[in-house]
Amino acid sequence: MTDNVDVLVIGGGAAGLSGALTLARARRKVLVLDAGEPRNAPASGVHGFLTRDGLPPAELVRAGVAEVREYGGEVRAGTVTSARRTGEGFEAKTADGRRVRARRLLVTTGLTDELPEVAGVRERWGRDVLHCPYCHGWEVRDQPIGVLGSGPNVMHMTLLLRQWSQDVVLFRHTAPELTAEDRARLAAREVAVVDGEVAGLEITEDRVSGVRLADGRVVPRRAIAVLPRFLARAGFLAELGLEVAPHPMGEHVPTDGRGQTSVPGVWAAGNVTDLSASVVVAAAAGMVAGAGINGELVEEDTRRSVGRGRFSAEVEARLAERVLGERRHGLGSLLAG
């Protein structure tokens, strides 16, 4: 079973649906395939998205799917396992054996969070274990917050969270040793530092209640911030020669800022390329990429038309006469009325 479309969007989150909406409104035949594994599924709501603040992620997706379909776009469940270049564009294969031929690909598959191997972190992820103060800081404001040190950006995260709570503790865990300047800055903001590795999180009545250290001590906390390593979901692009690149926060698919990757015809938007993008930023990037793809297709359509020899002086004159004739006819009808 094979589908033929102008654009295949791989990933049906905010970036993918926004790109598909832009393309569908541009009258492109667009198909969105989504694996149904949204990264923000554990979160209770999307935050920082103007007019949509607090909306459950699943509701945002449902609304986006309805809007794409309203303009003739198609959205289906499906996991793309590979993609290759063909003479006319690309062919993608899905896990259920389908094939999709497309002139362009828009990759919006997001990323995977590589979490610290600490008991309780994965189970509480997206609830009272968080990674983005701008996304979830308000929800844990004025609570005792712990920062689990596991990467080079621990100082930045800790000082940010001090904006939301006066009770912040940095558990250095496996993070690099703090400098004297680091400790002075934290002390100036009344942030305590606890050295030593963390063994796990204490959970009481389905809530984080503390951090348990390897030596047995327990420090009461109500929310934990972690610093995952972000890994782009892009393994299926290897056959196209598009590989992920190192990033200070993990790995991503590089683009030119508009969404164009190093492989002509393959575009990317959202967290797969911008590891720190929030939902609203990912949606905006999807729109930018969608507009860029449509513009590229317009240029391609024009080149094809020229190549078919449709232009001549006679054709130009006939087009002009047709337009002028229609204008005279319309003016005559108006005067007669």
Side-chain angles (χ1 to χ4, degrees), residues 67-311:
E67 290 177 357
V68 170
R69 288 174 173 165
E70 182 179 347
Y71 291 99
E74 189 175 358
V75 183
R76 291 205 306 257
T79 301
V80 174
T81 56
S82 66
R84 66 182 182 91
R85 186 176 292 281
T86 65
E88 296 297 319
F90 304 92
E91 182 180 82
K93 295 180 182 179
T94 64
D96 61 0
R98 298 185 71 96
R99 297 174 185 264
V100 181
R101 295 192 179 118
R103 296 170 65 186
R104 296 293 185 276
L105 300 180
L106 175 55
V107 180
T108 56
T109 44
L111 56 82
T112 299
D113 300 288
E114 189 176 78
L115 298 171
E117 291 297 330
V118 172
V121 166
R122 187 169 300 278
E123 293 79 2
R124 306 303 304 177
W125 176 241
R127 293 187 283 173
D128 36 22
V129 173
L130 55 100
H131 79 285
C132 174
Y134 297 104
C135 301
H136 305 292
W138 176 263
E139 283 63 44
V140 298
R141 66 193 184 281
D142 299 327
Q143 297 181 29
I145 301 173
V147 179
L148 181 60
S150 58
N153 295 319
V154 65
M155 281 292 296
H156 178 66
M157 172 69 84
T158 304
L159 291 172
L160 274 181
L161 282 166
R162 182 60 180 79
Q163 178 65 23
W164 279 269
S165 174
Q166 296 182 21
D167 186 358
V168 177
V169 173
L170 169 57
F171 297 89
R172 195 169 68 80
H173 190 45
T174 59
E177 179 62 63
L178 299 174
T179 66
E181 181 183 358
D182 290 337
R183 291 181 181 272
R185 294 174 69 202
L186 293 170
R189 294 290 285 158
E190 298 183 327
V191 174
V193 177
V194 176
D195 291 302
E197 290 197 14
V198 171
L201 304 184
E202 292 287 306
I203 311 299
T204 304
E205 296 181 352
D206 198 34
R207 281 210 60 179
V208 167
S209 58
V211 173
R212 185 176 70 258
L213 299 169
D215 62 12
R217 290 177 296 164
V218 174
V219 181
R221 297 288 93 184
R222 299 294 294 187
I224 306 297
V226 301
L227 296 162
R229 187 165 178 261
F230 302 129
L231 305 177
R233 295 173 174 171
F236 63 92
L237 299 173
E239 192 174 343
L240 292 171
L242 185 61
E243 298 181 354
V244 297
H247 185 281
M249 299 168 64
E251 297 175 344
H252 74 139
V253 174
T255 68
D256 65 356
R258 298 182 308 127
Q260 175 68 65
T261 71
S262 60
V263 176
V266 180
W267 295 64
N271 284 139
V272 73
T273 179
D274 183 355
L275 300 182
S276 62
S278 63
V279 175
V280 68
V281 172
M287 180 179 184
V288 170
I293 292 171
N294 181 62
E296 193 173 78
L297 289 175
V298 166
E299 291 295 326
E300 183 175 288
D301 292 340
T302 303
R303 287 195 301 271
R304 288 180 177 179
S305 295
V306 171
R308 286 193 290 266
R310 291 185 175 182
F311 174 78

Side-chain angles (χ1 to χ4, degrees), residues 7-11 15-17 19-20 23 30-34 106-108:
V7 184
L8 170 61
V9 180
I10 308 172
L17 292 173
L23 288 159
V30 58
L31 168 63
V32 180
L33 290 180
D34 183 62
L106 175 55
V107 180
T108 56

